[in-house]
Amino acid sequence: MTRRWTPDSWQACEARQLPDYDDKAALAAVTQQLSTQPPLVFAGEARELKRSLGEAGAGRAFLLQAGDCAETFVNFHPDAIRDTFRVILQMAAVLTYASKLPIVKMGRMAGQFAKPRSAPSETHGDVTLPAWRGDSINDIAFTAEARHADPARMLRAHSQSAATLNHLRAMSSGGYANLREVQSWTHAFMNQSPWADRYRALADRIGDALDFMEACGIDPRTQPSLQTVRFFTGHEALLLPYEQAMARADPATGEYFGTSAHFLWVGDRTRFEGSAHIEFLRGIANPIGIKCGPSLAPDTLVALLDTLNPKREAGRITLITRMGSDLIGRHLPPLIAAVAREGHEVTWCSDPMHANVVRTASGLKTRPFDRILTEVKDYFAIHRAEGSFPGGVHVEMTGLDVTECTGGAVAITADGLSDRYHTHCDPRLNAAQSLELAFLVGEMLGQDMRSRASEAA
Ligand code: PEP
Ligand code: CO
């Protein structure tokens, strides 16, 4: 028999990666205050996303999930939000055109603050302090005071998320996202890329399509459907006291929704059976993601699916696989086979970032563009061989011109990384690398769609 779920039932389960708040009264006061703050998203929006993800699961849409590894308080700026949003729209336009599929656009934005860490503490010289766990928990500065977990930071994360989401909503519906603009930004990028010739053909065809539509009287500057985009948000539901405070019952149905974002996922380190994180996600009706790393056994995955999606609702579960370019061939096929054997409907998504981290000789964390690309290529090939649909990609990127991942057309070398290495957490693709990846994924997805169509004919 299934145990009864309540927003706080996770508290009886094993919770990893959560801060140890020493002032319980302060924690209670903050979560109480948070629970009276407005929800950031509505149930109807989360349901709409679930339907769209169901389409991506069935091969009729494709998910693009992209954004920062960790949002921070210090880098909060409207230009940064705009630039990242702009690159995501450009990536989506390329993918739409190449695949002829609707692209479900989701930012790792407006809530991506809490980070799982590989070690609970950090040592410099003879000083050992708690690890930084994301700005909603503590501060990155290496002092005892900064690293102290302060519940009040959750309120600041909430208000920054609300402001970010407001900006995203304004840009999504206020005309900024008009397709003609998106196309002209992409043209500007192409002129700077050494791979321009390779991409020009595709970009020109997108331009031709817009010209043709305009000649027929469909003008992106005036046509609402070409001016607005549906843009969703998602983050790792790591900080459970925060997520619990944001869980609200939908008055219409009584179902609980996590209202901190449209989509919430469980990380690779906290998705074990019986975990507090799985218990929390079990009871909310949002579409949810599970990060699937090489240590996830097929039987464990099936048990998680039975727990999280007992009604086998399409779009409820997105499996975000992050195996590494060297391990995907060994670990992805058995997961796909197990899901198919059990008749679970899921949406598959590739995160080619998190298992492709290497350290340079000087100790910087980086991700070689080639490894990222290899994991995505293998992801497409494996799904093709297994008869499943590669329903999306998940990338860590920024619209800023950083140097954090090596490679790409404007080849960033290991030595060049220190020029503009700004991430607080994992290395991100910069604007040019993100767009290049979109062109390459677009080619793969377009090819995949054409092969499927010719087989079906
Ligand atoms: C992340 O997405 O930032 C992350 C920590 O991923 P994973 O749980 O897959 O390691
Ligand atoms: Co990350």
Side-chain angles (χ1 to χ4, degrees), residues 130-186:
W132 175 64
R133 292 189 175 276
D135 272 4
S136 57
I137 297 171
N138 57 3
D139 189 283
I140 200 165
F142 194 70
T143 66
E145 195 193 347
R147 293 294 171 91
H148 179 252
D150 177 3
R153 299 179 75 92
M154 286 192 258
L155 294 168
R156 185 158 172 201
H158 176 272
S159 70
Q160 185 169 320
S161 299
T164 301
L165 188 52
N166 182 59
H167 196 42
L168 290 169
R169 288 188 193 275
M171 287 189 292
S172 300
S173 62
Y176 183 75
N178 119 41
L179 253 188
R180 192 53 99 175
E181 289 299 324
V182 176
Q183 169 66 4
S184 71
W185 302 325
T186 304

Short mmCIF file of all heavy atoms in Angstrom, two decimals, residues 130-186:
data_model
loop_
_atom_site.label_atom_id
_atom_site.label_comp_id
_atom_site.label_asym_id
_atom_site.label_seq_id
_atom_site.Cartn_x
_atom_site.Cartn_y
_atom_site.Cartn_z
N PRO A 130 32.42 24.35 5.22
CA PRO A 130 31.36 23.69 4.45
C PRO A 130 31.43 24.12 2.98
O PRO A 130 31.82 25.26 2.69
CB PRO A 130 30.06 24.20 5.09
CG PRO A 130 30.45 24.74 6.43
CD PRO A 130 31.88 25.17 6.33
N ALA A 131 31.08 23.23 2.08
CA ALA A 131 31.07 23.57 0.65
C ALA A 131 30.00 24.63 0.37
O ALA A 131 29.01 24.74 1.11
CB ALA A 131 30.77 22.32 -0.17
N TRP A 132 30.21 25.39 -0.68
CA TRP A 132 29.14 26.27 -1.17
C TRP A 132 28.06 25.38 -1.78
O TRP A 132 28.37 24.47 -2.55
CB TRP A 132 29.71 27.22 -2.23
CG TRP A 132 28.67 28.09 -2.88
CD1 TRP A 132 27.92 29.05 -2.26
CD2 TRP A 132 28.28 28.09 -4.25
NE1 TRP A 132 27.08 29.65 -3.17
CE2 TRP A 132 27.28 29.08 -4.40
CE3 TRP A 132 28.67 27.36 -5.37
CZ2 TRP A 132 26.66 29.34 -5.62
CZ3 TRP A 132 28.06 27.62 -6.58
CH2 TRP A 132 27.07 28.60 -6.71
N ARG A 133 26.80 25.61 -1.45
CA ARG A 133 25.72 24.76 -1.96
C ARG A 133 24.73 25.52 -2.83
O ARG A 133 23.61 25.07 -3.05
CB ARG A 133 24.96 24.11 -0.79
CG ARG A 133 25.79 23.09 -0.04
CD ARG A 133 24.97 22.32 0.97
NE ARG A 133 25.78 21.28 1.56
CZ ARG A 133 25.98 20.07 1.03
NH1 ARG A 133 25.38 19.74 -0.11
NH2 ARG A 133 26.75 19.20 1.62
N GLY A 134 25.14 26.67 -3.30
CA GLY A 134 24.22 27.47 -4.11
C GLY A 134 23.75 28.67 -3.31
O GLY A 134 23.67 28.62 -2.08
N ASP A 135 23.42 29.76 -4.03
CA ASP A 135 23.14 31.02 -3.35
C ASP A 135 21.86 31.02 -2.51
O ASP A 135 21.67 31.88 -1.67
CB ASP A 135 23.10 32.17 -4.36
CG ASP A 135 24.50 32.77 -4.57
OD1 ASP A 135 25.46 32.24 -3.98
OD2 ASP A 135 24.61 33.76 -5.32
N SER A 136 20.97 30.07 -2.74
CA SER A 136 19.78 30.02 -1.88
C SER A 136 20.12 29.40 -0.52
O SER A 136 19.29 29.38 0.38
CB SER A 136 18.64 29.25 -2.55
OG SER A 136 19.06 27.94 -2.88
N ILE A 137 21.37 28.89 -0.39
CA ILE A 137 21.76 28.21 0.85
C ILE A 137 22.87 28.95 1.60
O ILE A 137 22.72 29.30 2.77
CB ILE A 137 22.17 26.75 0.55
CG1 ILE A 137 20.94 26.00 0.00
CG2 ILE A 137 22.72 26.07 1.82
CD1 ILE A 137 21.20 24.63 -0.54
N ASN A 138 24.00 29.19 0.91
CA ASN A 138 25.09 29.94 1.57
C ASN A 138 25.85 30.74 0.52
O ASN A 138 25.46 30.75 -0.66
CB ASN A 138 25.99 29.00 2.39
CG ASN A 138 26.59 27.86 1.56
OD1 ASN A 138 26.38 27.78 0.35
ND2 ASN A 138 27.33 26.99 2.21
N ASP A 139 26.92 31.39 0.94
CA ASP A 139 27.65 32.29 0.04
C ASP A 139 28.97 31.63 -0.36
O ASP A 139 29.57 30.90 0.42
CB ASP A 139 27.92 33.61 0.78
CG ASP A 139 28.49 34.68 -0.13
OD1 ASP A 139 29.70 34.62 -0.45
OD2 ASP A 139 27.71 35.56 -0.55
N ILE A 140 29.43 31.91 -1.58
CA ILE A 140 30.60 31.21 -2.11
C ILE A 140 31.92 31.68 -1.49
O ILE A 140 32.92 30.96 -1.53
CB ILE A 140 30.64 31.35 -3.66
CG1 ILE A 140 31.52 30.26 -4.28
CG2 ILE A 140 31.11 32.73 -4.08
CD1 ILE A 140 31.33 30.11 -5.78
N ALA A 141 31.95 32.88 -0.88
CA ALA A 141 33.21 33.38 -0.29
C ALA A 141 33.74 32.37 0.73
O ALA A 141 32.95 31.74 1.45
CB ALA A 141 32.98 34.73 0.37
N PHE A 142 35.07 32.24 0.79
CA PHE A 142 35.65 31.21 1.65
C PHE A 142 35.90 31.74 3.06
O PHE A 142 37.04 31.92 3.49
CB PHE A 142 36.93 30.65 1.00
CG PHE A 142 37.41 29.38 1.63
CD1 PHE A 142 36.71 28.20 1.46
CD2 PHE A 142 38.57 29.37 2.41
CE1 PHE A 142 37.15 27.01 2.05
CE2 PHE A 142 39.01 28.20 3.00
CZ PHE A 142 38.30 27.02 2.83
N THR A 143 34.79 32.02 3.76
CA THR A 143 34.90 32.39 5.18
C THR A 143 33.81 31.61 5.91
O THR A 143 32.81 31.21 5.31
CB THR A 143 34.63 33.89 5.43
OG1 THR A 143 33.25 34.17 5.10
CG2 THR A 143 35.53 34.79 4.60
N ALA A 144 34.04 31.42 7.19
CA ALA A 144 33.09 30.63 7.98
C ALA A 144 31.70 31.30 7.95
O ALA A 144 30.67 30.63 7.82
CB ALA A 144 33.59 30.50 9.40
N GLU A 145 31.68 32.60 8.02
CA GLU A 145 30.41 33.32 8.05
C GLU A 145 29.65 33.13 6.72
O GLU A 145 28.46 32.87 6.70
CB GLU A 145 30.69 34.79 8.30
CG GLU A 145 29.46 35.56 8.71
CD GLU A 145 29.70 37.07 8.63
OE1 GLU A 145 30.87 37.49 8.49
OE2 GLU A 145 28.71 37.80 8.69
N ALA A 146 30.39 33.27 5.60
CA ALA A 146 29.76 33.14 4.29
C ALA A 146 29.22 31.72 4.07
O ALA A 146 28.13 31.53 3.51
CB ALA A 146 30.76 33.48 3.20
N ARG A 147 29.94 30.74 4.51
CA ARG A 147 29.54 29.36 4.25
C ARG A 147 28.46 28.84 5.22
O ARG A 147 27.98 27.72 5.07
CB ARG A 147 30.77 28.44 4.30
CG ARG A 147 31.76 28.70 3.17
CD ARG A 147 31.16 28.35 1.81
NE ARG A 147 32.01 28.78 0.71
CZ ARG A 147 32.95 28.02 0.16
NH1 ARG A 147 33.17 26.80 0.60
NH2 ARG A 147 33.66 28.48 -0.85
N HIS A 148 28.11 29.65 6.18
CA HIS A 148 27.06 29.26 7.12
C HIS A 148 25.71 29.24 6.37
O HIS A 148 25.39 30.18 5.65
CB HIS A 148 27.03 30.29 8.26
CG HIS A 148 25.98 30.03 9.27
ND1 HIS A 148 24.85 30.80 9.39
CD2 HIS A 148 25.89 29.06 10.20
CE1 HIS A 148 24.10 30.32 10.36
NE2 HIS A 148 24.69 29.27 10.87
N ALA A 149 24.95 28.16 6.51
CA ALA A 149 23.66 28.06 5.80
C ALA A 149 22.64 29.01 6.45
O ALA A 149 22.34 28.87 7.63
CB ALA A 149 23.15 26.63 5.83
N ASP A 150 22.14 29.95 5.66
CA ASP A 150 21.24 30.97 6.19
C ASP A 150 19.87 30.86 5.50
O ASP A 150 19.75 31.15 4.31
CB ASP A 150 21.87 32.35 5.90
CG ASP A 150 20.98 33.49 6.34
OD1 ASP A 150 19.89 33.23 6.91
OD2 ASP A 150 21.36 34.65 6.10
N PRO A 151 18.83 30.45 6.24
CA PRO A 151 17.53 30.26 5.61
C PRO A 151 16.97 31.51 4.93
O PRO A 151 16.24 31.41 3.94
CB PRO A 151 16.61 29.80 6.75
CG PRO A 151 17.39 29.93 8.01
CD PRO A 151 18.83 30.11 7.67
N ALA A 152 17.36 32.69 5.41
CA ALA A 152 16.83 33.93 4.83
C ALA A 152 17.19 34.06 3.35
O ALA A 152 16.53 34.77 2.59
CB ALA A 152 17.33 35.14 5.61
N ARG A 153 18.25 33.37 2.93
CA ARG A 153 18.65 33.43 1.51
C ARG A 153 17.56 32.86 0.60
O ARG A 153 17.49 33.20 -0.58
CB ARG A 153 19.97 32.69 1.30
CG ARG A 153 21.13 33.30 2.10
CD ARG A 153 22.42 32.53 1.89
NE ARG A 153 23.00 32.79 0.59
CZ ARG A 153 23.90 33.74 0.33
NH1 ARG A 153 24.35 34.51 1.29
NH2 ARG A 153 24.36 33.92 -0.89
N MET A 154 16.70 32.01 1.15
CA MET A 154 15.60 31.46 0.33
C MET A 154 14.63 32.56 -0.11
O MET A 154 14.08 32.50 -1.21
CB MET A 154 14.82 30.40 1.13
CG MET A 154 15.57 29.09 1.27
SD MET A 154 14.47 27.81 1.91
CE MET A 154 14.97 27.76 3.59
N LEU A 155 14.44 33.54 0.77
CA LEU A 155 13.52 34.63 0.41
C LEU A 155 14.10 35.45 -0.74
O LEU A 155 13.39 35.86 -1.66
CB LEU A 155 13.27 35.53 1.62
CG LEU A 155 12.52 34.86 2.77
CD1 LEU A 155 12.57 35.72 4.03
CD2 LEU A 155 11.06 34.60 2.37
N ARG A 156 15.41 35.66 -0.67
CA ARG A 156 16.06 36.42 -1.75
C ARG A 156 16.02 35.62 -3.06
O ARG A 156 15.80 36.19 -4.14
CB ARG A 156 17.50 36.74 -1.35
CG ARG A 156 18.17 37.60 -2.35
CD ARG A 156 19.34 38.36 -1.77
NE ARG A 156 20.05 39.04 -2.84
CZ ARG A 156 21.31 39.44 -2.77
NH1 ARG A 156 21.98 39.26 -1.65
NH2 ARG A 156 21.88 40.04 -3.78
N ALA A 157 16.22 34.30 -2.97
CA ALA A 157 16.14 33.46 -4.18
C ALA A 157 14.73 33.53 -4.76
O ALA A 157 14.55 33.59 -5.99
CB ALA A 157 16.53 32.02 -3.85
N HIS A 158 13.73 33.52 -3.88
CA HIS A 158 12.35 33.59 -4.37
C HIS A 158 12.11 34.91 -5.09
O HIS A 158 11.54 34.95 -6.19
CB HIS A 158 11.35 33.42 -3.22
CG HIS A 158 9.92 33.59 -3.65
ND1 HIS A 158 9.30 34.82 -3.68
CD2 HIS A 158 9.01 32.71 -4.12
CE1 HIS A 158 8.05 34.67 -4.13
NE2 HIS A 158 7.85 33.40 -4.41
N SER A 159 12.56 36.02 -4.49
CA SER A 159 12.24 37.30 -5.15
C SER A 159 13.05 37.46 -6.43
O SER A 159 12.54 37.98 -7.42
CB SER A 159 12.37 38.48 -4.19
OG SER A 159 13.70 38.68 -3.90
N GLN A 160 14.28 36.96 -6.45
CA GLN A 160 15.06 37.03 -7.71
C GLN A 160 14.40 36.15 -8.79
O GLN A 160 14.35 36.52 -9.96
CB GLN A 160 16.51 36.59 -7.48
CG GLN A 160 17.36 36.76 -8.73
CD GLN A 160 18.85 36.58 -8.46
OE1 GLN A 160 19.37 37.03 -7.44
NE2 GLN A 160 19.54 35.92 -9.37
N SER A 161 13.89 35.00 -8.38
CA SER A 161 13.20 34.13 -9.34
C SER A 161 11.96 34.82 -9.90
O SER A 161 11.67 34.75 -11.11
CB SER A 161 12.78 32.81 -8.68
OG SER A 161 13.91 32.13 -8.20
N ALA A 162 11.21 35.50 -9.01
CA ALA A 162 9.99 36.18 -9.44
C ALA A 162 10.34 37.29 -10.44
O ALA A 162 9.68 37.44 -11.49
CB ALA A 162 9.25 36.75 -8.24
N ALA A 163 11.40 38.04 -10.14
CA ALA A 163 11.78 39.14 -11.04
C ALA A 163 12.29 38.59 -12.38
O ALA A 163 12.01 39.13 -13.45
CB ALA A 163 12.85 40.00 -10.37
N THR A 164 13.06 37.50 -12.31
CA THR A 164 13.58 36.89 -13.54
C THR A 164 12.43 36.38 -14.40
O THR A 164 12.36 36.62 -15.61
CB THR A 164 14.54 35.72 -13.20
OG1 THR A 164 15.60 36.22 -12.39
CG2 THR A 164 15.11 35.08 -14.45
N LEU A 165 11.50 35.70 -13.75
CA LEU A 165 10.38 35.15 -14.50
C LEU A 165 9.52 36.26 -15.09
O LEU A 165 9.04 36.16 -16.23
CB LEU A 165 9.54 34.24 -13.58
CG LEU A 165 8.45 33.42 -14.25
CD1 LEU A 165 8.98 32.62 -15.43
CD2 LEU A 165 7.83 32.47 -13.24
N ASN A 166 9.37 37.35 -14.35
CA ASN A 166 8.60 38.47 -14.88
C ASN A 166 9.26 39.02 -16.15
O ASN A 166 8.60 39.30 -17.14
CB ASN A 166 8.50 39.57 -13.83
CG ASN A 166 7.68 40.73 -14.34
OD1 ASN A 166 6.52 40.56 -14.69
ND2 ASN A 166 8.29 41.90 -14.45
N HIS A 167 10.58 39.12 -16.12
CA HIS A 167 11.31 39.61 -17.28
C HIS A 167 11.16 38.64 -18.45
O HIS A 167 10.93 39.05 -19.60
CB HIS A 167 12.78 39.81 -16.89
CG HIS A 167 13.55 40.66 -17.84
ND1 HIS A 167 13.06 41.81 -18.40
CD2 HIS A 167 14.81 40.53 -18.34
CE1 HIS A 167 13.96 42.34 -19.21
NE2 HIS A 167 15.03 41.57 -19.20
N LEU A 168 11.26 37.36 -18.16
CA LEU A 168 11.11 36.35 -19.22
C LEU A 168 9.70 36.40 -19.82
O LEU A 168 9.53 36.32 -21.03
CB LEU A 168 11.37 34.94 -18.66
CG LEU A 168 12.83 34.63 -18.29
CD1 LEU A 168 12.92 33.32 -17.49
CD2 LEU A 168 13.70 34.53 -19.55
N ARG A 169 8.72 36.56 -18.94
CA ARG A 169 7.34 36.61 -19.45
C ARG A 169 7.15 37.86 -20.32
O ARG A 169 6.49 37.81 -21.36
CB ARG A 169 6.33 36.62 -18.29
CG ARG A 169 6.20 35.29 -17.55
CD ARG A 169 5.04 35.38 -16.56
NE ARG A 169 5.00 34.30 -15.59
CZ ARG A 169 4.44 33.11 -15.79
NH1 ARG A 169 3.89 32.82 -16.95
NH2 ARG A 169 4.42 32.20 -14.83
N ALA A 170 7.74 38.98 -19.90
CA ALA A 170 7.59 40.22 -20.68
C ALA A 170 8.25 40.05 -22.05
O ALA A 170 7.68 40.41 -23.08
CB ALA A 170 8.22 41.39 -19.93
N MET A 171 9.45 39.46 -22.06
CA MET A 171 10.14 39.29 -23.34
C MET A 171 9.42 38.26 -24.22
O MET A 171 9.40 38.39 -25.44
CB MET A 171 11.59 38.85 -23.11
CG MET A 171 12.46 39.98 -22.57
SD MET A 171 14.21 39.54 -22.53
CE MET A 171 14.23 38.30 -21.27
N SER A 172 8.81 37.25 -23.59
CA SER A 172 8.13 36.21 -24.37
C SER A 172 6.89 36.73 -25.06
O SER A 172 6.52 36.25 -26.12
CB SER A 172 7.69 35.05 -23.46
OG SER A 172 8.79 34.48 -22.84
N SER A 173 6.22 37.70 -24.42
CA SER A 173 4.94 38.11 -25.00
C SER A 173 4.95 39.55 -25.50
O SER A 173 4.01 39.98 -26.14
CB SER A 173 3.83 37.94 -23.96
OG SER A 173 4.10 38.77 -22.86
N GLY A 174 6.02 40.30 -25.21
CA GLY A 174 6.00 41.73 -25.55
C GLY A 174 6.57 42.09 -26.90
O GLY A 174 6.80 43.26 -27.18
N GLY A 175 6.88 41.09 -27.75
CA GLY A 175 7.37 41.41 -29.08
C GLY A 175 8.87 41.16 -29.25
O GLY A 175 9.37 41.08 -30.37
N TYR A 176 9.58 41.01 -28.14
CA TYR A 176 11.03 40.82 -28.23
C TYR A 176 11.37 39.53 -28.99
O TYR A 176 12.40 39.44 -29.66
CB TYR A 176 11.62 40.77 -26.81
CG TYR A 176 13.12 40.64 -26.79
CD1 TYR A 176 13.92 41.74 -27.09
CD2 TYR A 176 13.74 39.43 -26.51
CE1 TYR A 176 15.30 41.64 -27.08
CE2 TYR A 176 15.12 39.32 -26.50
CZ TYR A 176 15.89 40.43 -26.79
OH TYR A 176 17.26 40.32 -26.79
N ALA A 177 10.47 38.54 -28.84
CA ALA A 177 10.78 37.21 -29.37
C ALA A 177 10.37 37.04 -30.82
O ALA A 177 10.29 35.92 -31.32
CB ALA A 177 10.07 36.16 -28.50
N ASN A 178 10.09 38.15 -31.53
CA ASN A 178 9.59 37.97 -32.90
C ASN A 178 10.63 37.30 -33.79
O ASN A 178 11.82 37.56 -33.73
CB ASN A 178 8.98 39.31 -33.38
CG ASN A 178 9.65 39.90 -34.58
OD1 ASN A 178 10.02 39.19 -35.52
ND2 ASN A 178 9.82 41.21 -34.54
N LEU A 179 10.14 36.39 -34.61
CA LEU A 179 11.02 35.48 -35.36
C LEU A 179 12.00 36.20 -36.27
O LEU A 179 13.11 35.74 -36.48
CB LEU A 179 10.17 34.54 -36.20
CG LEU A 179 10.06 33.09 -35.76
CD1 LEU A 179 9.34 32.29 -36.84
CD2 LEU A 179 11.43 32.47 -35.51
N ARG A 180 11.57 37.32 -36.81
CA ARG A 180 12.44 38.08 -37.71
C ARG A 180 13.68 38.56 -36.95
O ARG A 180 14.79 38.50 -37.44
CB ARG A 180 11.61 39.25 -38.25
CG ARG A 180 12.19 40.00 -39.37
CD ARG A 180 12.62 39.18 -40.56
NE ARG A 180 11.69 39.17 -41.65
CZ ARG A 180 11.93 38.57 -42.83
NH1 ARG A 180 13.07 37.94 -43.04
NH2 ARG A 180 11.04 38.58 -43.78
N GLU A 181 13.46 39.00 -35.73
CA GLU A 181 14.59 39.44 -34.89
C GLU A 181 15.52 38.27 -34.61
O GLU A 181 16.74 38.38 -34.70
CB GLU A 181 14.08 39.98 -33.53
CG GLU A 181 13.37 41.31 -33.61
CD GLU A 181 14.28 42.39 -34.14
OE1 GLU A 181 15.48 42.36 -33.81
OE2 GLU A 181 13.80 43.23 -34.91
N VAL A 182 14.91 37.16 -34.22
CA VAL A 182 15.71 35.98 -33.87
C VAL A 182 16.59 35.62 -35.05
O VAL A 182 17.79 35.34 -34.92
CB VAL A 182 14.77 34.80 -33.50
CG1 VAL A 182 15.58 33.54 -33.23
CG2 VAL A 182 13.93 35.15 -32.28
N GLN A 183 16.01 35.69 -36.25
CA GLN A 183 16.77 35.36 -37.46
C GLN A 183 17.91 36.35 -37.70
O GLN A 183 19.02 35.97 -38.06
CB GLN A 183 15.77 35.34 -38.64
CG GLN A 183 16.38 35.28 -40.00
CD GLN A 183 17.12 33.96 -40.22
OE1 GLN A 183 17.10 33.08 -39.39
NE2 GLN A 183 17.77 33.84 -41.37
N SER A 184 17.66 37.63 -37.41
CA SER A 184 18.73 38.59 -37.68
C SER A 184 19.87 38.43 -36.67
O SER A 184 21.04 38.59 -37.01
CB SER A 184 18.22 40.02 -37.76
OG SER A 184 17.87 40.45 -36.48
N TRP A 185 19.56 38.06 -35.43
CA TRP A 185 20.66 37.80 -34.47
C TRP A 185 21.51 36.64 -34.96
O TRP A 185 22.72 36.64 -34.85
CB TRP A 185 20.12 37.42 -33.09
CG TRP A 185 19.22 38.42 -32.45
CD1 TRP A 185 19.30 39.78 -32.52
CD2 TRP A 185 18.09 38.13 -31.62
NE1 TRP A 185 18.30 40.34 -31.79
CE2 TRP A 185 17.54 39.37 -31.22
CE3 TRP A 185 17.48 36.96 -31.16
CZ2 TRP A 185 16.43 39.46 -30.39
CZ3 TRP A 185 16.38 37.04 -30.33
CH2 TRP A 185 15.85 38.29 -29.96
N THR A 186 20.83 35.61 -35.50
CA THR A 186 21.57 34.43 -35.93
C THR A 186 22.48 34.79 -37.10
O THR A 186 23.62 34.33 -37.18
CB THR A 186 20.59 33.30 -36.31
OG1 THR A 186 19.76 33.07 -35.17
CG2 THR A 186 21.31 32.02 -36.67
#
